[in-house]
Amino acid sequence: MKTLLLDHDRDGIRDLPLIRDLPAYRAGQIYKWLLSGVGFDGMTDIPKDLRAKLSELYTDIGAKIIKTARSNDGTEKYLYELADGELIEGVLMKYKYGRTLCVSTQVGCRMGCAFCASGRNGLERNLSSGEMLSELLCANARLGSERVGNVVLMGSGEPLDNYENVTKFIRTMSECDLVGQRSVSLSTCGLTDKIRALADDGFSVTLCLSLHSPFDDRRMRVMPTARAYKLADIMSAARYYFEKSGRRVIVEYAMMRGFNTRDEDARELRRLTKNFPCHINLIPLNDTDSGLPGVTGKEAKEFLGKLEALGASVTVRRSLGEDIEGACGQLKRRYTENLHTEDEHGG
């Protein structure tokens, strides 16, 4: 398979055998076109023979949107096809402060969380930095004069399980003035060594911890990684990240009826998050056919009240895209199921 040109930055493109003997400005022209979401055919100020050679050796854009679902609330869900035919998803959300894109970092996921649709078949492969960048560029192309202002690394995959590519993607967005680090949120189920590496490498993204239970034994029932990463170690790493970056940490907490919304859950969750700037984001669990029951609006408000009474900084996350299967992995699953049905019936 051909190399994705977007995996190179401007200097990397300049060093390519095909480019290095050309005028220095050529690499800048090519890179500018790529960051605009334009493929080789549309690079009008690049000589035609050079475009043809680039096309022979490289892939220009690493992902293309092949299916879109639009919600009544303005949320758009994208099914991307990668150059090797693999499928990933992204979600473009509309808020008062601008557009936020949920980006996938892996094809599938090895973490095995019980409530997540994207990891049910395990990990297929990591995404490259250029493929992640392609997700953003495709969304920007659809927006026209508007641009994505915030990126959340909460699509398929565990971002810190693909550390090198994800951090390269974050740096590229920032260095190219696409999305600054302080406008990036990275969600992790708690890979403590990589959280500390993120701090040591000088990142200033918002760290979001997927906890979903404040007790290790109960957390293991829905998150297999809890066997390797204990809550005390995760919170210690989170404090270290805060001390290095100065950035408040977000705790993500998917509410499941009868499992993690008891009085003792509220008390222990407050204890875990009490000693440093930390905000709890309560999440109404999307239906992913997991068999895990979510909570009603009333139950969510009751659990919110318990935490507020304990002095926690806490909100219930606004749920977007429910009418278009907003949970990660659902659009891909429906698409592939339909393809299999068509094959079986000769469609």
Side-chain angles (χ1 to χ4, degrees):
M1 194 173 75
K2 292 187 285 188
T3 301
L4 176 60
L5 198 55
L6 266 173
D7 283 336
H8 299 280
D9 59 15
R10 191 193 318 264
D11 292 337
I13 291 174
R14 187 180 294 123
D15 290 338
L16 295 174
L18 184 61
I19 307 296
R20 68 168 63 115
D21 294 329
L22 298 176
Y25 66 83
R26 280 290 181 225
Q29 286 178 315
I30 294 168
Y31 197 54
K32 185 177 179 180
W33 280 117
L34 290 173
L35 292 180
S36 300
V38 175
F40 298 136
D41 291 342
M43 298 180 180
T44 54
D45 58 358
I46 306 297
K48 200 170 184 178
D49 61 336
L50 177 56
R51 282 186 277 159
K53 290 177 183 176
L54 285 169
S55 184
E56 287 176 14
L57 297 173
Y58 301 100
T59 299
D60 43 16
I61 306 299
K64 61 181 180 180
I65 296 172
I66 61 170
K67 187 174 178 60
T68 302
R70 185 175 178 83
S71 171
N72 294 327
D73 59 29
T75 301
E76 289 188 345
K77 186 152 192 182
Y78 304 137
L79 185 65
Y80 296 95
E81 184 177 40
L82 307 177
D84 61 357
E86 292 285 4
L87 302 174
I88 55 171
E89 296 177 29
V91 182
L92 183 68
M93 295 162 283
K94 186 176 183 179
Y95 295 98
K96 291 179 180 178
Y97 53 79
R99 299 281 188 162
T100 294
L101 182 68
C102 181
V103 169
S104 290
T105 58
Q106 296 177 310
V107 181
C109 182
R110 77 169 95 233
M111 300 299 115
C113 298
F115 44 78
C116 180
S118 65
R120 289 189 182 165
N121 296 320
L123 177 68
E124 297 291 333
R125 67 172 178 84
N126 287 329
L127 294 187
S128 72
S129 61
E131 287 175 320
M132 289 177 244
L133 192 57
S134 294
E135 295 179 61
L136 173 62
L137 299 179
C138 284
N140 277 340
R142 289 183 63 86
L143 288 172
S145 59
E146 195 179 354
R147 286 289 182 270
V148 171
N150 299 272
V151 163
V152 293
L153 299 172
M154 298 179 184
S156 65
E158 160 59 61
L160 295 186
D161 190 36
N162 186 14
Y163 187 85
E164 296 302 325
N165 289 325
V166 166
T167 52
K168 182 179 177 182
F169 166 60
I170 294 169
R171 286 197 183 98
T172 300
M173 283 194 296
S174 179
E175 291 167 359
C176 295
D177 294 323
L178 291 169
V179 178
Q181 285 198 32
R182 287 179 172 266
S183 297
V184 176
S185 296
L186 184 151
S187 177
T188 176
C189 60
L191 279 61
T192 55
D193 54 334
K194 298 298 173 59
I195 292 172
R196 292 177 180 275
L198 204 64
D200 291 336
D201 288 340
F203 285 93
S204 57
V205 301
T206 298
L207 179 67
C208 302
L209 303 175
S210 293
L211 292 192
H212 311 308
S213 174
F215 298 103
D216 284 318
D217 58 341
R218 295 179 72 83
R219 195 167 179 261
M220 288 179 200
R221 289 162 56 181
V222 293
M223 301 180 71
T225 56
R227 295 183 179 90
Y229 299 97
K230 303 303 180 186
L231 284 163
D233 296 330
I234 293 171
M235 299 313 294
S236 175
R239 289 187 189 92
Y240 182 77
Y241 183 79
F242 164 72
E243 290 163 2
K244 285 276 193 174
S245 68
R247 302 284 283 157
R248 180 178 69 163
V249 172
I250 306 296
V251 166
E252 298 168 318
Y253 198 88
M255 294 173 287
M256 292 165 262
R257 182 182 300 129
F259 177 74
N260 63 355
T261 56
R262 304 165 302 165
D263 290 347
E264 55 264 51
D265 294 312
R267 288 193 296 269
E268 182 64 9
L269 184 56
R270 176 59 179 143
R271 187 192 69 78
L272 284 174
T273 58
K274 195 171 185 177
N275 297 323
F276 68 108
C278 192
H279 179 78
I280 301 168
N281 197 359
L282 300 178
I283 304 168
L285 184 67
N286 273 317
D287 177 18
T288 60
D289 302 327
S290 65
L292 295 169
V295 295
T296 64
K298 180 183 177 183
E299 289 168 332
K301 187 175 283 189
E302 287 173 354
F303 191 62
L304 172 72
K306 292 175 185 178
L307 288 164
E308 287 178 331
L310 293 167
S313 171
V314 57
T315 51
V316 176
R317 188 169 77 183
R318 178 183 167 202
S319 187
L320 297 176
E322 288 184 308
D323 56 320
I324 54 168
E325 297 184 305
C328 186
Q330 291 181 304
L331 184 61
K332 174 180 174 179
R333 191 176 76 244
R334 293 284 181 250
Y335 179 81
T336 53
E337 284 174 354
N338 288 341
L339 284 182
H340 292 154
T341 300
E342 290 173 3
D343 289 343
E344 288 170 4
H345 293 85

